[in-house]
Amino acid sequence: MPDMDATMLTHARSTLLDTARTHFIAEPGVVGLYLSGTLASGDAEPHSDIDLRVVTEPAAHAGFVARRRDFPRLWDGFLFNEWLPGAQHCVSHFRPFTKIDIFYLNADDLRPSPWYALPTIVLHDPAGRIAALLAASRDLRFTITEDDVDFSISKALAAAHEAYRRIRRGHLLYAAALLDEMRLHMMQADDWLNDRPTLGMVQSKFDRRHSGMQMIGRIPGDGADRNAGIDLLRGLSILLVVIHHLALRIPLARTALAAILPATLLHALNWNGYSAVFLFFVISGFLITSHSIRRWGTLSAVDAPAFYRRRAMRILPCLIVLVAILSLLDLAHVPYYTITHPDQSLPRAILAVFGMHLNWYEGHTAYLPGGWDVLWSLSIEEAFYLAFPLFCRATARHAVLRAILFAALALSLPADYALLSHAPEIWREKAYLPGMAAIATGICAALIAPRAPLRHVPALGILGASMLGAILLWQPAIRQALGHATMLLLTLGSAMLLIAFDRGWGRATLPRIRALLWLRAYGRLSYEIYLTHMFLVFPAIALFHGLGAPIRYGWLWFLPVVPLAWLLGHATERLVTSPAERRLRSRFPFDPASIRPHPATR
């Protein structure tokens, strides 16, 4: 067997999927195609297989099942099939080391199910049947009965009992098989405890729960497994942003809370919005890099068009709706939302948003109204990610140099601020380089995480949490001591926490702390809350001033805004982000693991 690197395997899988998709779209009687499994969840490794579902017309279904072993034989690289009599699927193996599982589904048998709430990528759906099925399944939940639990416990105990008996009799191979059966029931219990579907029939699923790729600690009902620690960081970030934008207009230090809470805590709540955005930048770099490596095997193989499509499908729907609403409010001259500066205009603001330079536009004119102003960070992110896949492919033969350059950019943060020390305050706050340095820190963390020794993970998590907490609580004092290096302490601490969470730190405890569920839910909707929360901040401020409320009671206005911001973000995700992303993926299907071979890997 020839040597197989990650790029070769990923490219072979992409080619096989494209062949299968093209074949079945051309077959009469096929009404839909979709992917499930690790390709759909964005969790694929180079050795991951393809889980393809072929939905057929009822009259054609029996014919497809009968020919299920014949279709793969028509495709290049076919090796052999594994199949069961009477089954409705076929597993086919291809050169160099690729596997595709094809299930044939009768369109009349499709019913809403919790399984369809799991990650799915629609490849072909001309009549919208699969999209309707996914929409109807979105809120369904997996349930277990008392009989399920009793059956599982009894089978696990029986397997342990019989395994001991067989070991004593010297039947070691049979005993090993029984221990595997017991392990499967343990996995099933783990799924139930963490509100996951019971996927434990594949042994590798159990192994992955103990690797850096495991996704433990999902929020029940969010439709996908998530890392609870990373969601907590995202939730903390967006919470600090929401509080900051309220506290700029109702300073907490002037409310009755000043007589109850320490001044240090009030200052931290009031003024950490900017620091929270930099925490966002680090998280963003970490997640984008981690997902890219899982999808394409290596940064050298990142497919730029596929990368851009995924970013556009995630970012643009909500952003377009937001800009449309802000434009209407400006044209209607609604207070707090109207662009009034003589050097600014609505068309120019729109161009700045979609041209990824709103931060530059504000830096050269003035602050835009708050609903527009929050988009400055998005301009930095998207400008960075415009270059990211191109840079990764350009340095495909120099992975070590690429990592060194990312590290140099990450560590340049103090120098970036030193260069900006004489710039206007607005440009010091919104310049490209500091934000990009923070994103690069997240990239470096993602590159380091798989190599971080597990024995050092708890210490890394504690140190990272201490560094981040110190900056958030005592930033003024630390800034006096460290000067321009202060934000570097924040980004490095955030990176350490991300590595620790990715490597499993807190995975057994965080999902079970119910007091943190709301903050994790905040983190899951961080993008939607970030874009929309000013639609609550400004009405709350207007009502506060309109009623002539005493400033000492100003803290009461924070209480409804925080949960309402989550509700608005949730509504935006349900009504805009998710439906648009599903429709776009159905209209412009693509293999999330597809690559174009780079000259260095041909």
Side-chain angles (χ1 to χ4, degrees):
M1 181 179 294
D3 291 338
M4 295 174 293
D5 62 16
T7 300
M8 177 191 295
L9 291 171
T10 310
H11 178 54
R13 182 177 63 209
S14 173
T15 301
L16 176 59
L17 177 57
D18 188 59
T19 299
R21 179 174 58 199
T22 302
H23 175 98
F24 285 116
I25 288 176
E27 281 282 343
V30 172
V31 299
L33 299 171
Y34 67 89
L35 284 174
S36 58
T38 54
L39 284 183
S41 67
D43 230 9
E45 302 169 77
H47 290 86
S48 297
D49 58 5
I50 301 169
D51 291 307
L52 180 65
R53 306 299 189 261
V54 180
V55 183
T56 72
E57 292 285 4
H61 182 254
F64 275 95
V65 172
R67 293 182 290 156
R68 67 188 185 281
R69 289 180 289 161
D70 299 330
F71 297 127
R73 292 192 178 104
L74 302 174
W75 307 336
D76 290 341
F78 173 79
L79 292 174
F80 63 92
N81 289 320
E82 53 176 303
W83 60 285
L84 289 172
Q88 298 187 9
H89 73 283
C90 183
V91 179
S92 305
H93 296 256
F94 289 78
R95 289 190 294 267
F97 200 72
T98 309
K99 182 163 72 81
I100 182 170
D101 304 351
I102 306 177
F103 293 75
Y104 298 89
L105 309 177
N106 188 327
D108 278 358
D109 293 337
L110 297 182
R111 299 288 186 274
S113 163
W115 290 99
Y116 295 117
L118 297 175
T120 301
I121 291 180
V122 179
L123 301 177
H124 178 62
D125 188 26
R129 295 188 186 188
I130 299 174
L133 180 68
L134 298 180
S137 304
R138 181 180 179 83
D139 294 324
L140 299 181
R141 300 289 179 265
F142 292 94
T143 57
I144 58 172
T145 66
E146 186 175 337
D147 285 346
D148 291 331
V149 176
D150 182 69
F151 173 80
S152 185
I153 291 175
S154 64
K155 292 294 288 184
L157 291 174
H161 185 272
E162 185 64 20
Y164 176 78
R165 186 191 303 275
R166 293 291 175 171
I167 291 171
R168 300 295 297 180
R169 295 170 63 183
H171 301 166
L172 299 184
L173 290 178
Y174 187 37
L178 290 167
L179 291 176
D180 281 341
E181 181 182 347
M182 183 177 69
R183 192 177 294 115
L184 290 175
H185 288 287
M186 293 169 60
M187 293 161 60
Q188 188 176 60
D190 180 61
D191 287 329
W192 288 340
L193 288 172
N194 288 282
D195 193 30
R196 290 191 298 266
T198 51
L199 299 172
M201 294 309 292
V202 180
Q203 185 61 39
S204 62
K205 296 290 195 304
F206 184 81
D207 298 334
R208 286 181 59 216
R209 294 174 198 182
H210 293 79
S211 74
M213 292 186 61
Q214 42 86 32
M215 296 184 298
I216 296 213
R218 73 185 282 266
I219 300 170
D222 68 359
D225 291 314
R226 303 181 66 95
N227 186 300
I230 295 177
D231 273 342
L232 277 178
L233 283 182
R234 296 168 72 171
L236 174 64
S237 299
I238 188 58
L239 179 65
L240 289 174
V241 168
V242 173
I243 291 176
H244 172 68
H245 285 150
L246 267 173
L248 284 175
R249 296 153 178 97
I250 307 177
L252 288 171
R254 296 177 57 193
T255 69
L257 292 181
I260 303 172
L261 299 178
T264 299
L265 179 58
L266 290 179
H267 187 277
L269 291 172
N270 213 119
W271 297 108
N272 267 315
Y274 182 73
S275 299
V277 171
F278 269 68
L279 177 52
F280 268 130
F281 284 148
V282 180
I283 296 171
S284 174
F286 182 87
L287 293 178
I288 291 292
T289 304
S290 299
H291 292 167
S292 295
I293 292 173
R294 291 173 187 176
R295 188 166 295 113
W296 288 291
T298 170
L299 291 184
S300 299
V302 172
D303 179 3
F307 181 91
Y308 295 145
R309 282 196 296 269
R310 289 185 66 86
R311 291 299 297 167
M313 289 178 185
R314 173 70 180 109
I315 297 297
L316 284 181
C318 191
L319 182 62
I320 290 172
V321 172
L322 172 71
V323 170
I325 294 173
L326 290 175
S327 299
L328 291 175
L329 293 174
D330 175 78
L331 293 172
H333 302 291
V334 176
Y336 297 103
Y337 298 97
T338 305
I339 299 172
T340 58
H341 194 279
D343 294 333
Q344 296 174 338
S345 67
L346 177 60
R348 191 64 184 83
I350 295 173
L351 177 62
V353 170
F354 294 108
M356 296 174 286
H357 64 277
L358 185 129
N359 58 322
W360 180 91
Y361 181 57
E362 285 193 309
H364 286 74
T365 55
Y367 288 102
L368 283 159
W372 295 90
D373 175 59
V374 297
L375 300 178
W376 71 271
S377 61
L378 195 62
S379 289
I380 293 176
E381 272 195 279
E382 297 317 310
F384 186 93
Y385 292 130
L386 182 65
F388 177 72
L390 302 178
F391 176 73
C392 289
R393 294 304 293 268
T395 56
R397 297 180 180 179
H398 309 285
V400 174
L401 175 62
R402 180 176 58 223
I404 291 173
L405 292 175
F406 278 135
L409 178 57
L411 296 174
S412 72
L413 196 54
D416 297 337
Y417 281 117
L419 290 173
L420 294 165
S421 59
H422 299 296
E425 179 183 358
I426 187 172
W427 185 236
R428 292 201 303 271
E429 178 183 312
K430 300 179 185 294
Y432 281 104
L433 276 179
M436 290 183 173
I439 296 172
T441 306
I443 293 173
C444 293
L447 296 175
I448 293 171
R451 300 169 177 84
L454 289 176
R455 66 182 182 276
H456 296 324
V457 164
L460 194 67
I462 293 171
L463 179 59
S466 301
M467 291 168 64
L468 179 60
I471 289 294
L472 294 180
L473 285 173
W474 299 293
Q475 186 168 156
I478 294 175
R479 190 172 295 278
Q480 286 186 351
L482 298 182
H484 297 310
T486 302
M487 293 301 287
L488 181 62
L489 192 66
L490 180 143
T491 57
L492 291 179
S494 304
M496 292 177 188
L497 264 178
L498 288 168
I499 294 171
F501 285 141
D502 185 72
R503 296 291 281 162
W505 188 56
R507 73 182 179 204
T509 54
L510 290 178
R512 293 174 173 80
I513 303 177
R514 295 191 174 276
L516 295 177
L517 283 176
W518 69 275
L519 193 56
R520 289 166 53 201
Y522 235 67
R524 184 173 67 86
L525 296 171
S526 57
Y527 176 62
E528 287 79 10
I529 295 174
Y530 185 76
L531 291 193
T532 61
H533 71 280
M534 297 306 290
F535 291 124
L536 294 168
V537 170
F538 285 141
I541 297 301
L543 192 59
F544 174 77
H545 291 302
L547 295 176
I551 189 66
R552 64 177 285 101
Y553 298 118
W555 64 274
L556 293 171
W557 297 83
F558 289 71
L559 300 182
V561 170
V562 169
L564 287 175
W566 181 87
L567 287 174
L568 181 57
H570 178 67
T572 303
E573 192 270 340
R574 292 292 301 274
L575 299 176
V576 179
T577 307
S578 289
E581 189 171 356
R582 286 196 300 269
R583 184 179 295 272
L584 288 169
R585 288 195 177 192
S586 176
R587 187 177 180 85
F588 304 105
F590 65 96
D591 175 10
S594 65
I595 66 166
R596 291 183 177 87
H598 190 272
T601 61
R602 285 178 182 162

